[in-house]
C-alpha cells in the first residue's frame, strides 16, 4: 500500500448528505416521536410519544425545553451544605477510612438523587439527557487520583451548573465551570499560586472543554505550549472551602479569591495581552472579569469557528451518530455557523439540530448505542417500573456517573458494548423485566390502540421496544408474533387479553425477553 | 516468508477451515476454527502489553542520578542518589520503588538476570502533549497530530484483522487478544470489528455467557443500522463462545499457578497467568494502569504517594508474573512491554508534580533467551541540557520500533504486514529474538541462533559466526549491557555463505552482538570473564 493510500484509508469521512438542517415541519409520526424521545430523553412512554404525534417538532421545541425551568430541589441531606473533614489530613488511617466511607456514601446519595431525576422525566419539559451529556463533556472524577475524593457537596453543585447552563451561553457556561469548586480540585487549579501556575486545567479547558488541540476540520493547531503556560497564570488565585474547619470566607463549597496567590504580571495569550495589574486592582471581581472571563472570551473570539465546530461535533456525536468517521462535515459546519452566529447560544444550536430534517433522516434512526443510563433507566421508563439497583447496574455497564475513566471522558460509541458489558446488559435487562408484574405488562399493552388485535399489538410492541421498525421484515415480525400469541389463536386473542389470561401475560413477557436478546435492543 | 510460501500456507488454512468447522445451534453461518491454523500463529508465543496511562514520569523511573542537572531541574521531586538502586557500578539507577521490598528483588534483579530491557528516549517527532491524542498516536501506530484525521484502529487491531480474513463469519476458537477490563481499547479495534475481548471475571463471564447468541441472523445490508447491528451481534456470539473457552482454561489454570500474587495490577497478572497455564491460545494480553498523570502530589515521600505506589504495582506485577511463568514452564513463550503516551516535563512544576512531557522510557521483559536484556540508549542520553522548547526530553527511538520487534519476532509479521500496519517500514530496536525461523530471513539459523559466538563465556577472545543465505549489506556491532557500543566488527557488503569475525574485549562483563541486515536485527549475548 502506498503511503498516500494508507493515509486516505484512515480518514475517509463519509459525506453523503441526504438531508440538512432545514426545519422538519411535517407532523410527527409515532415512529418519529419515538425516535425523538429516545435521543433527547432516556426512553419514550406511549403517552408522551402519542402527545407529540401530529405536531411539528419546530412548534414543540419550546415546550420540550423550557427556558425558565426551575432547578430541582437539593436532596435533604446534611452533606449538601456542610463538608466532611479532609480525609487526607485525618490523624490516623482508621479515621481516614471512616471519613472516606462517609464521603462515598454521600456520593452514592448524590448519584441516586440524579438518577431519580432522570427516571422521572416522562413528561415535558425535558432536561436531564442534556445534563448527562454535559457531564460527559465537563468531566469530574469523584475518585480523582489514587488517593483523593471530590466532596459530594461539590459534585452536587457542579451538577446544578450543568443544568443551569445546559441551554445557555457557552461563554457563561465555561466561566461558571472554571470557578466551580469540583473543577478547581479535580484539575489542580487550587494548587496554583503566585510562584507556580498549574497547567492542568488550562490545557484541558482548551483541549477537551472548548476547542481541541487543533481545529477538527482544518487541523490547524488551536494553541501552543506558551498559551497553556500563560493562560494558566491568568487562572491563578482561586480557592474553595471544601473541607470542614478550613478557610471558607464565602461559606463552605463556595469559591473565593485569594489575592496573594494570583499572578499579577501581564499575560500573553493567543496573541492577546492581558495587562499586568497593581495590588489594588487585584480583587475578586476584577480578576474574574478581566482575566478568567477574558481568557474564555479570547478563546471564543480568536478561535470562533474551532470552538463552534468542536462543540457542534460533540453534540452531533452524542445525539445523532457517534461513529467518528461518518459524522457529516457538512452538517457539523452548518451547526457551527449557527452556533457562532448566535454568539454561542446553546439553545439555538440544540434547536437547529433537533428540529432538522437531518435529525429525522431515516438513515439516522436506530443507529446510536444506548449509554448505560439510556439502557437501564430507559427500560425502567418503558416498562413503567422502578428497579432498585439502577446505580449499580449503570456503574457495572461502565458509566460511573461523576467518575469517568479519565478527564477525556468515556469513549462512547462501540466501547459501550464489549464481551464484559454485553452479558451484563442482558442480565440487567432481564432483572428489570422481572420487576414488572403481570399488571404492569397488561397495563403497558393496553396503552396501545387496537391491543385486542394480535397483529396490531405485536407491531406496536416491536415499534416501541426496538429502535427501527422499518428494518424488521415481515418474517421477523411473524416470528415475534408467534412468541406473543403463546398458543392463543388470533380469533381468541381479543377475549384472552380482556380476561387478563395468564398466557397473554406470559406471551408479552416472552416477547420482551426475545427483544432483549436482539442486537438492536442495544441501539436507539 | 516469501509470497509463494505465504499463498501456500493461506490456502492450507482455508482448506482446514472448510473441513473442520463445527456449527453452533441457532447460528448456521458462523464457523469456528482452531487458533493454531492461523497463518504465522502456529507457535505459542504470547505478547503482553502494560499501558501506564496518564504519562509515566520516566526520569523518576530510571533516574539520571549521575547528572547534577536532574537535581537542578527537580528541586522538589528528585531522588537523592542514596535512595536510587544502582546496577553494579554503572550509571543505571532504578527508582527504589521498583526494587525495595519488591518480589524477587524487583526489576533490578530482573535486569541483572538479563530478563529486562530498558529503552531510553522512546517517543516520536513533533510530540503531542495531549493525553488523548498522544495515546491515540501510540495505540494506532500512526503519528498524526492533525485533529481532523480520526484514528479509529489500533496497530494490533489492524494486524490481527489481517490474520482473520473471514471475520466475523469465521472466528477462532479462542480470543486472539484479551484486555483485562470492561471496555476495549483502541489498540484492539479495527474497522472490521473488535479484535480482542474485554474480560474481568471468568466465572461471572461464564455464568452470564450462556444463551447470548441472537436468534436473528447477521444482516446483509450496508446501512449504518446494519453495521452497528452486526457489530453487536458479533460481540454477543463471542460472549457465548469465549465465555466457555475462557472458563475452561481458567478452571484448569487456577489449580496450577504457583505464585501468591499481590493486590492491584498483580491480580490482573494472576488472571493472565491462570489463562496461559490453563491452555488458552490467546496471543495478546493487555492491561492498563491509570493515574500516572501527576500534576500535583506525585509523591509525598520517596516511598509514599501516587507515583511510588504505581511503580511498586508495576514492579511487583512483572516480577511475580515472571516467576510464575518460570515455575510453570511457559517463560520462554512470553514477552512484554510497557507503553505510556508520554513522559513528564524535565523540571517539576512546584505543585509537587510534573506537567505533560514528551519522550520517556520503556521496559521490555521476558525470558533471557529471547529478550536482549540491556539498557538501550544513544550515547549521552537522556540529555537534560538539550530539552525541546517545552522543556521536555527529546526522543531517540520512534515508539513503533519496539512494536516492530514484537510484531516481527513474536507474532511472525512479514515486511508487508509491517507496512500495512504502520503505513511505512520501521527498523526494530533489536530487543527481541524470534523463537521460530522465518523464511524471509537472509540468515541461516544454527540451533535457533542467528549468530554463533564461542567460546562463551570467553576470556576476552571469541569468534562470531554467521551464515548468509544471500549476499547483503550487513552491520555487525558489539554493545555492552548499558547500551554503549564497544566496537564495530564489520560494516559493509558481504557475500552469501559462511563468515567469521574475531571479537576482542578487554573488560569482564556481559555483552551482546547485534547484526543488522536491511530492516531486520539479530542478536546474541555473550559473557567475558578475564
Amino acid at each position: 500500500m502506498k503511503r498516500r493510500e494508507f493515509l486516505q484509508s484512515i480518514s475517509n469521512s463519509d459525506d453523503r448528505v441526504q438531508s440538512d438542517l432545514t426545519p422538519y415541519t411535517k407532523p410527527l409520526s409515532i415512529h418519529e416521536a419515538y425516535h425523538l424521545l429516545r435521543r433527547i430523553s432516556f426512553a419514550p412512554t406511549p403517552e408522551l410519544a402519542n402527545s407529540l404525534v401530529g405536531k411539528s417538532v419546530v412548534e414543540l421545541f419550546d415546550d420540550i425545553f423550557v427556558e425558565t425551568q426551575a432547578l430541582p430541589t437539593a436532596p435533604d441531606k446534611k452533606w449538601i451544605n456542610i463538608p466532611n473533614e479532609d480525609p487526607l489530613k485525618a490523624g490516623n488511617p482508621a479515621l481516614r477510612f471512616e471519613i472516606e466511607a462517609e464521603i462515598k456514601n454521600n456520593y452514592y446519595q448524590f448519584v441516586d438523587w440524579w438518577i431519580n431525576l432522570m427516571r422521572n422525566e416522562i413528561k415535558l419539559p425535558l432536561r436531564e439527557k442534556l445534563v448527562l451529556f454535559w457531564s460527559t463533556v465537563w468531566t469530574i472524577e469523584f475518585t480523582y487520583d489514587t488517593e483523593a475524593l471530590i466532596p459530594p457537596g461539590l459534585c452536587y453543585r457542579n451538577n446544578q451548573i450543568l443544568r443551569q447552563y445546559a441551554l445557555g451561553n457557552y461563554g457563561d457556561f465555561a466561566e461558571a465551570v472554571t470557578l466551580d469548586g469540583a473543577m478547581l480540585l479535580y484539575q489542580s487549579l487550587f494548587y496554583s499560586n503566585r510562584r507556580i501556575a498549574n497547567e492542568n486545567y488550562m490545557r484541558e479547558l482548551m483541549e477537551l472543554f472548548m476547542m481541541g488541540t487543533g481545529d477538527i476540520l482544518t487541523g490547524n493547531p488551536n494553541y501552543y505550549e506558551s498559551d497553556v503556560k500563560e493562560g494558566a497564570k491568568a487562572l491563578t488565585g482561586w480557592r474553595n472551602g471544601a473541607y470542614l474547619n478550613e478557610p471558607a470566607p464565602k461559606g463552605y463549597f463556595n469559591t473565593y479569591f485569594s489575592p496573594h496567590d494570583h499572578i499579577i504580571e501581564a499575560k500573553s495569550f493567543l496573541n492577546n495581552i492581558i495587562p499586568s495589574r497593581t495590588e489594588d486592582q487585584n480583587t475578586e471581581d476584577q480578576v474574574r472579569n478581566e482575566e478568567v472571563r477574558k481568557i474564555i472570551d479570547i478563546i471564543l473570539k480568536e478561535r470562533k469557528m474551532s470552538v463552534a465546530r468542536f462543540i457542534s461535533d460533540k453534540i452531533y456525536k452524542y445525539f445523532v451518530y457517534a461513529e467518528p468517521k461518518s459524522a457529516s462535515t457538512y452538517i457539523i459546519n452548518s451547526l457551527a455557523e449557527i452556533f457562532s452566529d448566535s454568539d454561542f447560544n446553546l439553545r439555538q444550536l440544540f434547536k437547529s439540530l433537533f428540529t432538522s430534517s437531518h435529525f429525522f433522516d431515516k438513515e439516522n434512526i436506530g443507529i446510536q448505542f444506548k449509554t448505560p443510563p439510556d439502557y437501564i433507566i430507559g427500560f425502567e421508563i418503558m416498562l413503567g417500573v422502578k428497579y432498585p439497583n439502577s446505580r449499580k447496574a449503570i456503574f457495572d455497564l461502565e458509566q460511573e456517573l461523576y467518575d469517568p475513566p479519565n478527564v477525556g471522558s468515556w469513549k462512547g460509541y462501540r466501547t459501550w458494548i464489549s464481551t464484559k458489558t454485553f452479558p451484563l446488559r442482558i442480565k440487567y435487562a432481564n432483572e428489570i423485566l422481572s420487576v414488572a408484574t403481570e399488571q404492569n405488562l397488561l397495563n403497558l399493552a393496553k396503552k396501545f390502540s387496537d391491543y385486542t388485535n394480535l397483529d396490531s399489538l405485536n407491531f406496536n410492541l416491536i415499534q416501541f421496544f426496538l429502535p427501527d421498525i422499518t428494518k424488521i421484515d415481515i418474517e421477523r415480525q411473524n416470528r415475534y408474533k408467534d412468541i406473543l400469541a403463546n398458543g392463543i389463536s388470533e380469533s381468541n386473542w381479543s377475549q384472552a387479553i380482556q380476561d387478563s389470561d395468564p398466557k397473554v401475560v406470559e406471551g408479552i413477557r416472552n416477547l420482551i425477553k426475545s427483544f432483549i436478546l436482539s442486537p438492536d435492543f442495544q441501539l436507539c | 516468508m516469501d509470497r509463494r510460501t505465504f499463498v501456500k500456507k493461506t490456502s492450507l488454512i482455508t482448506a482446514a477451515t472448510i473441513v473442520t468447522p463445527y456449527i453452533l445451534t441457532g447460528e448456521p453461518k458462523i464457523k469456528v476454527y482452531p487458533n493454531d491454523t492461523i497463518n504465522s500463529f502456529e507457535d505459542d508465543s504470547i505478547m503482553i502489553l502494560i499501558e501506564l496511562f496518564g504519562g509515566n514520569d520516566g526520569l523518576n523511573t530510571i533516574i539520571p542520578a549521575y547528572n547534577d542537572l536532574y537535581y537542578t531541574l527537580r528541586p522538589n521531586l528528585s531522588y537523592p542518589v542514596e535512595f536510587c538502586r544502582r546496577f553494579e557500578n554503572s550509571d543505571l539507577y532504578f527508582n527504589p520503588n521498583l526494587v525495595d521490598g519488591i518480589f524477587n528483588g524487583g526489576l533490578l534483579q530482573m535486569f541483572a538476570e538479563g530478563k529486562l530491557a530498558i529503552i531510553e528516549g522512546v517517543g516520536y517527532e513533533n510530540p503531542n502533549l495531549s493525553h488523548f491524542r498522544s495515546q491515540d498516536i501510540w495505540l494506532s501506530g500512526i503519528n498524526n497530530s492533525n485533529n481532523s484525521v480520526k484514528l479509529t484502529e489500533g496497530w494490533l487491531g489492524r494486524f490481527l484483522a489481517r490474520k482473520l480474513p473471514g471475520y466475523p463469519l469465521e472466528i477462532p476458537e479462542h480470543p486472539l487478544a484479551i484486555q483485562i477490563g470492561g471496555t476495549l481499547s483502541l489498540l484492539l479495534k479495527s474497522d472490521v470489528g473488535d479484535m480482542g475481548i474485554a474480560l474481568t471475571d471468568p466465572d461471572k463471564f461464564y455464568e452470564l455467557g450462556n444463551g447470548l447468541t441472537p436468534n436473528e441472523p447477521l444482516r446483509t445490508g450496508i446501512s449504518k443500522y446494519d453495521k452497528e447491528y452486526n457489530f453487536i451481534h458479533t460481540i454477543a456470539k463471542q460472549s457465548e463462545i469465549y465465555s466457555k473457552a475462557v472458563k475452561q482454561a481458567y478452571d484448569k489454570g487456577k489449580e496450577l499457578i504457583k505464585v501468591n500474587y499481590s493486590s492491584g495490577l498483580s491480580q490482573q497478572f494472576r488472571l493472565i497467568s491462570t489463562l496461559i497455564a490453563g491452555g488458552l491460545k490467546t496471543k495478546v494480553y493487555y492491561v492498563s494502569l491509570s493515574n500516572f498523570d501527576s500534576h500535583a502530589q506525585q509523591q509525598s515521600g520517596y516511598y509514599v504517594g501516587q507515583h511510588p505506589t504505581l511503580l511498586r504495582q508495576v514492579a511487583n506485577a512483572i516480577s511475580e508474573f515472571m516467576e510464575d511463568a518460570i515455575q510453570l514452564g511457559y517463560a520462554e513463550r512470553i514477552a512484554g512491554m510497557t507503553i505510556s503516551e508520554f513522559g513528564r516535563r524535565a523540571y517539576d512544576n512546584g505543585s509537587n508534580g510534573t506537567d505533560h512531557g514528551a519522550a520517556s522510557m520503556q521496559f521490555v521483559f521476558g525470558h533471557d533467551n529471547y529478550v536482549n536484556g540491556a539498557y538501550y540508549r544513544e550515547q549521552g542520553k537522556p540529555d537534560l541540557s538539550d530539552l525541546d522548547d517545552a522543556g521536555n526530553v527529546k526522543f531517540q527511538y520512534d515508539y513503533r520500533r519496539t512494536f516492530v520487534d514484537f510484531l516481527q519476532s513474536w507474532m511472525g509479521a512479514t515486511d508487508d504486514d509491517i507496512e500495512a500496519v504502520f503505513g511505512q517500514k520501521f527498523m526494530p530496536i533489536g530487543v527481541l529474538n524470534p523463537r521460530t525461523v522465518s523464511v524471509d530471513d537472509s540468515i541461516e539459523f544454527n540451533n535457533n541462533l542467528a549468530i554463533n559466538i564461542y567460546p562463551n563465556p570467553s576470556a576476552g577472545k571469541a569468534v562470531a559466526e554467521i551464515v548468509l543465505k544471500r549476499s547483503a549489506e550487513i552491520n555487525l556491532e558489539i554493545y555492552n549491557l548499558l547500551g554503549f557500543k564497544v566496537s564495530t566488527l564489520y560494516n559493509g557488503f558481504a557475500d552469501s555463505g559462511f563468515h567469521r569475525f574475531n571479537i576482542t574485549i578487554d573488560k569482564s562483563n556481559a555483552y551482546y552482538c547485534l547484526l543488522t541486515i536491511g530492516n531486520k536485527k539479530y542478536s546474541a549475548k555473550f559473557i567475558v570473564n578475564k
Side-chain angles (χ1 to χ4, degrees), chain A residues 500-516:
Chain A
S500 306
D501 186 331
K503 281 190 70 115
V504 168
V505 181
E506 193 182 63
I508 296 171
R509 199 179 288 279
N510 288 341
L511 179 64
I512 299 174
K513 274 187 188 164
S514 76
F515 291 153
I516 290 172

PDB file of all heavy atoms in Angstrom, chain A residues 500-516:
ATOM      1  N   SER A 500     -57.426 -10.874  30.857  1.00  0.00           N
ATOM      2  CA  SER A 500     -56.121 -10.935  31.528  1.00  0.00           C
ATOM      3  C   SER A 500     -55.640 -12.382  31.655  1.00  0.00           C
ATOM      4  O   SER A 500     -55.087 -12.783  32.691  1.00  0.00           O
ATOM      5  CB  SER A 500     -56.168 -10.292  32.918  1.00  0.00           C
ATOM      6  OG  SER A 500     -56.667  -8.989  32.841  1.00  0.00           O
ATOM      7  N   ASP A 501     -55.821 -13.133  30.623  1.00  0.00           N
ATOM      8  CA  ASP A 501     -55.367 -14.528  30.578  1.00  0.00           C
ATOM      9  C   ASP A 501     -53.861 -14.603  30.880  1.00  0.00           C
ATOM     10  O   ASP A 501     -53.066 -13.883  30.272  1.00  0.00           O
ATOM     11  CB  ASP A 501     -55.656 -15.043  29.153  1.00  0.00           C
ATOM     12  CG  ASP A 501     -55.382 -16.533  28.995  1.00  0.00           C
ATOM     13  OD1 ASP A 501     -54.492 -17.033  29.727  1.00  0.00           O
ATOM     14  OD2 ASP A 501     -56.045 -17.154  28.143  1.00  0.00           O
ATOM     15  N   PRO A 502     -53.473 -15.454  31.847  1.00  0.00           N
ATOM     16  CA  PRO A 502     -52.043 -15.561  32.178  1.00  0.00           C
ATOM     17  C   PRO A 502     -51.179 -15.915  30.966  1.00  0.00           C
ATOM     18  O   PRO A 502     -50.014 -15.524  30.901  1.00  0.00           O
ATOM     19  CB  PRO A 502     -51.974 -16.683  33.219  1.00  0.00           C
ATOM     20  CG  PRO A 502     -53.369 -16.871  33.708  1.00  0.00           C
ATOM     21  CD  PRO A 502     -54.302 -16.314  32.685  1.00  0.00           C
ATOM     22  N   LYS A 503     -51.762 -16.629  30.004  1.00  0.00           N
ATOM     23  CA  LYS A 503     -50.979 -16.965  28.815  1.00  0.00           C
ATOM     24  C   LYS A 503     -50.642 -15.723  27.981  1.00  0.00           C
ATOM     25  O   LYS A 503     -49.618 -15.663  27.310  1.00  0.00           O
ATOM     26  CB  LYS A 503     -51.758 -17.966  27.927  1.00  0.00           C
ATOM     27  CG  LYS A 503     -51.678 -19.386  28.461  1.00  0.00           C
ATOM     28  CD  LYS A 503     -52.233 -20.384  27.445  1.00  0.00           C
ATOM     29  CE  LYS A 503     -51.310 -20.498  26.265  1.00  0.00           C
ATOM     30  NZ  LYS A 503     -50.690 -21.777  26.094  1.00  0.00           N
ATOM     31  N   VAL A 504     -51.520 -14.742  28.053  1.00  0.00           N
ATOM     32  CA  VAL A 504     -51.251 -13.475  27.359  1.00  0.00           C
ATOM     33  C   VAL A 504     -50.062 -12.771  28.005  1.00  0.00           C
ATOM     34  O   VAL A 504     -49.125 -12.332  27.337  1.00  0.00           O
ATOM     35  CB  VAL A 504     -52.504 -12.554  27.397  1.00  0.00           C
ATOM     36  CG1 VAL A 504     -52.132 -11.152  26.960  1.00  0.00           C
ATOM     37  CG2 VAL A 504     -53.607 -13.128  26.530  1.00  0.00           C
ATOM     38  N   VAL A 505     -50.116 -12.697  29.317  1.00  0.00           N
ATOM     39  CA  VAL A 505     -49.032 -12.018  30.036  1.00  0.00           C
ATOM     40  C   VAL A 505     -47.711 -12.739  29.789  1.00  0.00           C
ATOM     41  O   VAL A 505     -46.678 -12.109  29.544  1.00  0.00           O
ATOM     42  CB  VAL A 505     -49.342 -11.970  31.554  1.00  0.00           C
ATOM     43  CG1 VAL A 505     -48.229 -11.235  32.282  1.00  0.00           C
ATOM     44  CG2 VAL A 505     -50.680 -11.297  31.807  1.00  0.00           C
ATOM     45  N   GLU A 506     -47.775 -14.063  29.804  1.00  0.00           N
ATOM     46  CA  GLU A 506     -46.571 -14.847  29.537  1.00  0.00           C
ATOM     47  C   GLU A 506     -46.029 -14.561  28.133  1.00  0.00           C
ATOM     48  O   GLU A 506     -44.832 -14.433  27.922  1.00  0.00           O
ATOM     49  CB  GLU A 506     -46.887 -16.333  29.693  1.00  0.00           C
ATOM     50  CG  GLU A 506     -45.665 -17.220  29.747  1.00  0.00           C
ATOM     51  CD  GLU A 506     -46.067 -18.690  29.861  1.00  0.00           C
ATOM     52  OE1 GLU A 506     -46.721 -19.216  28.922  1.00  0.00           O
ATOM     53  OE2 GLU A 506     -45.755 -19.299  30.893  1.00  0.00           O
ATOM     54  N   GLY A 507     -46.973 -14.432  27.207  1.00  0.00           N
ATOM     55  CA  GLY A 507     -46.593 -14.127  25.826  1.00  0.00           C
ATOM     56  C   GLY A 507     -45.908 -12.772  25.718  1.00  0.00           C
ATOM     57  O   GLY A 507     -44.880 -12.622  25.037  1.00  0.00           O
ATOM     58  N   ILE A 508     -46.472 -11.784  26.406  1.00  0.00           N
ATOM     59  CA  ILE A 508     -45.861 -10.442  26.363  1.00  0.00           C
ATOM     60  C   ILE A 508     -44.457 -10.503  26.976  1.00  0.00           C
ATOM     61  O   ILE A 508     -43.490  -9.961  26.434  1.00  0.00           O
ATOM     62  CB  ILE A 508     -46.734  -9.419  27.138  1.00  0.00           C
ATOM     63  CG1 ILE A 508     -48.099  -9.266  26.455  1.00  0.00           C
ATOM     64  CG2 ILE A 508     -46.036  -8.073  27.233  1.00  0.00           C
ATOM     65  CD1 ILE A 508     -49.105  -8.444  27.252  1.00  0.00           C
ATOM     66  N   ARG A 509     -44.351 -11.189  28.101  1.00  0.00           N
ATOM     67  CA  ARG A 509     -43.058 -11.282  28.774  1.00  0.00           C
ATOM     68  C   ARG A 509     -42.026 -11.984  27.879  1.00  0.00           C
ATOM     69  O   ARG A 509     -40.880 -11.536  27.756  1.00  0.00           O
ATOM     70  CB  ARG A 509     -43.214 -12.018  30.108  1.00  0.00           C
ATOM     71  CG  ARG A 509     -42.074 -11.781  31.084  1.00  0.00           C
ATOM     72  CD  ARG A 509     -42.264 -12.518  32.409  1.00  0.00           C
ATOM     73  NE  ARG A 509     -43.292 -11.976  33.275  1.00  0.00           N
ATOM     74  CZ  ARG A 509     -43.124 -10.918  34.082  1.00  0.00           C
ATOM     75  NH1 ARG A 509     -41.962 -10.304  34.126  1.00  0.00           N
ATOM     76  NH2 ARG A 509     -44.108 -10.485  34.840  1.00  0.00           N
ATOM     77  N   ASN A 510     -42.442 -13.078  27.259  1.00  0.00           N
ATOM     78  CA  ASN A 510     -41.510 -13.797  26.376  1.00  0.00           C
ATOM     79  C   ASN A 510     -41.091 -12.951  25.177  1.00  0.00           C
ATOM     80  O   ASN A 510     -39.949 -13.012  24.734  1.00  0.00           O
ATOM     81  CB  ASN A 510     -42.127 -15.101  25.885  1.00  0.00           C
ATOM     82  CG  ASN A 510     -42.199 -16.124  27.006  1.00  0.00           C
ATOM     83  OD1 ASN A 510     -41.483 -15.998  28.012  1.00  0.00           O
ATOM     84  ND2 ASN A 510     -43.066 -17.108  26.862  1.00  0.00           N
ATOM     85  N   LEU A 511     -42.045 -12.184  24.697  1.00  0.00           N
ATOM     86  CA  LEU A 511     -41.732 -11.307  23.561  1.00  0.00           C
ATOM     87  C   LEU A 511     -40.659 -10.287  23.976  1.00  0.00           C
ATOM     88  O   LEU A 511     -39.668 -10.092  23.269  1.00  0.00           O
ATOM     89  CB  LEU A 511     -42.994 -10.582  23.089  1.00  0.00           C
ATOM     90  CG  LEU A 511     -42.795  -9.611  21.931  1.00  0.00           C
ATOM     91  CD1 LEU A 511     -42.349 -10.354  20.668  1.00  0.00           C
ATOM     92  CD2 LEU A 511     -44.076  -8.824  21.651  1.00  0.00           C
ATOM     93  N   ILE A 512     -40.851  -9.676  25.126  1.00  0.00           N
ATOM     94  CA  ILE A 512     -39.870  -8.677  25.574  1.00  0.00           C
ATOM     95  C   ILE A 512     -38.521  -9.349  25.836  1.00  0.00           C
ATOM     96  O   ILE A 512     -37.464  -8.791  25.520  1.00  0.00           O
ATOM     97  CB  ILE A 512     -40.389  -7.915  26.831  1.00  0.00           C
ATOM     98  CG1 ILE A 512     -41.694  -7.185  26.487  1.00  0.00           C
ATOM     99  CG2 ILE A 512     -39.352  -6.920  27.326  1.00  0.00           C
ATOM    100  CD1 ILE A 512     -42.381  -6.515  27.669  1.00  0.00           C
ATOM    101  N   LYS A 513     -38.556 -10.574  26.370  1.00  0.00           N
ATOM    102  CA  LYS A 513     -37.298 -11.312  26.558  1.00  0.00           C
ATOM    103  C   LYS A 513     -36.579 -11.508  25.234  1.00  0.00           C
ATOM    104  O   LYS A 513     -35.353 -11.422  25.158  1.00  0.00           O
ATOM    105  CB  LYS A 513     -37.572 -12.688  27.176  1.00  0.00           C
ATOM    106  CG  LYS A 513     -37.638 -12.664  28.687  1.00  0.00           C
ATOM    107  CD  LYS A 513     -37.734 -14.084  29.230  1.00  0.00           C
ATOM    108  CE  LYS A 513     -38.007 -14.034  30.727  1.00  0.00           C
ATOM    109  NZ  LYS A 513     -38.476 -15.310  31.244  1.00  0.00           N
ATOM    110  N   SER A 514     -37.326 -11.791  24.191  1.00  0.00           N
ATOM    111  CA  SER A 514     -36.628 -12.012  22.931  1.00  0.00           C
ATOM    112  C   SER A 514     -36.160 -10.683  22.321  1.00  0.00           C
ATOM    113  O   SER A 514     -35.155 -10.657  21.622  1.00  0.00           O
ATOM    114  CB  SER A 514     -37.450 -12.865  21.969  1.00  0.00           C
ATOM    115  OG  SER A 514     -38.463 -12.123  21.395  1.00  0.00           O
ATOM    116  N   PHE A 515     -36.871  -9.581  22.611  1.00  0.00           N
ATOM    117  CA  PHE A 515     -36.339  -8.265  22.212  1.00  0.00           C
ATOM    118  C   PHE A 515     -34.975  -8.026  22.871  1.00  0.00           C
ATOM    119  O   PHE A 515     -34.050  -7.516  22.250  1.00  0.00           O
ATOM    120  CB  PHE A 515     -37.280  -7.131  22.644  1.00  0.00           C
ATOM    121  CG  PHE A 515     -38.588  -7.067  21.907  1.00  0.00           C
ATOM    122  CD1 PHE A 515     -39.715  -6.511  22.513  1.00  0.00           C
ATOM    123  CD2 PHE A 515     -38.703  -7.543  20.606  1.00  0.00           C
ATOM    124  CE1 PHE A 515     -40.926  -6.430  21.847  1.00  0.00           C
ATOM    125  CE2 PHE A 515     -39.923  -7.469  19.924  1.00  0.00           C
ATOM    126  CZ  PHE A 515     -41.037  -6.912  20.557  1.00  0.00           C
ATOM    127  N   ILE A 516     -34.902  -8.355  24.176  1.00  0.00           N
ATOM    128  CA  ILE A 516     -33.671  -8.089  24.936  1.00  0.00           C
ATOM    129  C   ILE A 516     -32.465  -8.750  24.265  1.00  0.00           C
ATOM    130  O   ILE A 516     -31.380  -8.177  24.200  1.00  0.00           O
ATOM    131  CB  ILE A 516     -33.827  -8.578  26.399  1.00  0.00           C
ATOM    132  CG1 ILE A 516     -34.825  -7.696  27.158  1.00  0.00           C
ATOM    133  CG2 ILE A 516     -32.477  -8.601  27.120  1.00  0.00           C
ATOM    134  CD1 ILE A 516     -35.199  -8.202  28.540  1.00  0.00           C
TER     135      ILE A 516
END
